[in-house]
Amino acid sequence: MHLARTEEQHELAGVVMGLLDRHSDSSAVRAAAESGTYDIRLWRALCEQVGVAALPVPEGYDGVGASLVETAVVLEEVGRNLAPAPLLASALAVTQLLLHGSEQERRDQLPGLAAGEVRPVQLGRVVLEPEQSTGSMDQTMRLALVDGAGDIPEDTRAVALALISALQVGAMQRGLEMTVAYSQERVQFGRPIGSFQALKHRLAEMLVLVEASRSASWGAAGAAADHVGDPTPEREARLVRLASVAAGYCTEALAHVATETVQLHGGIAMTWEHDAQLLLKRAHALNQLAGPAHLTRSRVLEARLI
C-alpha cells in the first residue's frame, strides 16, 4: 500500500519541481495555450534531464524500470505547475503495451516511448495527443473526440483514472497555494483578508480536500503499479476499486478547490491576466477526462468491490 513518498520519490519530485519552475512559468504555459500544443522544449528537458517518459518502461526495453508510482509523483508536480506536458499520454501508451501488447509490440514501441516519443492514446471517445486536436477548455491539453467508444480494457481505464487523479491533486495544490498567498497579501479593512475567520475556514476546507485527495490518489497509484508489475484478477479488482474511489473523490474536490480559488481571489480572478483562469480550465478538462464523479462511484458499487 502506497501511503507516503520514499526519500527517492521526494528527491524526484524536487528535481521535477525545480525544472518546471525554470522552464514552465506562467508565460510559458500561456504561450503553449496560444500555440494549441504542448511545450516541446519542456517535454524534451523532462525526458533528457529527468527521464520521465522512461520511468515506467522496464530496463529491458531501454527504460528506467521504476513503477507507475514514480510516474504519479511526476504527474502531481506537472499538475501543480499546470505544465503543458504529454506525460499522461506517454505513461498510458506504455501501460497499454505492458498489460495488453505482444512481446513484439513491446520491443518495437517501448524504446521509442522511453525516449520521449508521443503518440495518440484513446480512452473511450476521447483521444489524448491526437493528430488533429478539436481543442478543449484547457488549450494546453490536446484532446479529440471520435465516434464510438471503442473497447478499453477495464484495467487500462483504471490506470488512467489513477494517473489523472495525480494531475488533479497537483492542480488542487496549485489552487491552494495561490489562494493562501493572496489571502496574506490582500488587505481589506486594514487587515490581510486571510486573518478573517470565515476565510480561514474556507482555506482549511481546501487543505482538507487536497490532503484527502492526495491519500486517495496515492492509494490508486500504488494499486496501478502493483497490477502493471504483476497482473492478476485480484490486483485488477483492487485497482478498479481504488482508482474509482480516487477519481470520484478527486473530481469533486478539484471542482470545489478551483471554484474557491476563483471566488477567494475576488474580481482579479475574473481577468485574463490572472492565473486563476488557467487553473479553472485545467480543472474542467481533467474532470471531463475522468468522467462524472457519480458514475465512477457507481462502478464501484455495481461491481460489489467495496
Side-chain angles (χ1 to χ4, degrees), residues 25-45:
D25 58 10
S26 176
S27 61
V29 174
R30 290 168 182 268
E34 292 178 2
S35 69
T37 185
Y38 61 87
D39 189 329
I40 296 176
R41 289 185 298 178
L42 172 63
W43 179 238
R44 185 180 297 118

Side-chain angles (χ1 to χ4, degrees), residues 65-86:
S67 73
L68 284 178
V69 171
E70 282 68 38
T71 297
V73 168
V74 177
L75 282 169
E76 190 173 323
E77 296 305 323
V78 169
R80 173 181 170 273
N81 196 266
L82 305 178

Side-chain angles (χ1 to χ4, degrees), residues 1 27 35 99 113 151 168 202:
M1 184 69 175
S27 61
S35 69
L99 288 176
L113 290 169
D151 294 327
Q168 291 172 318
R202 293 171 71 173

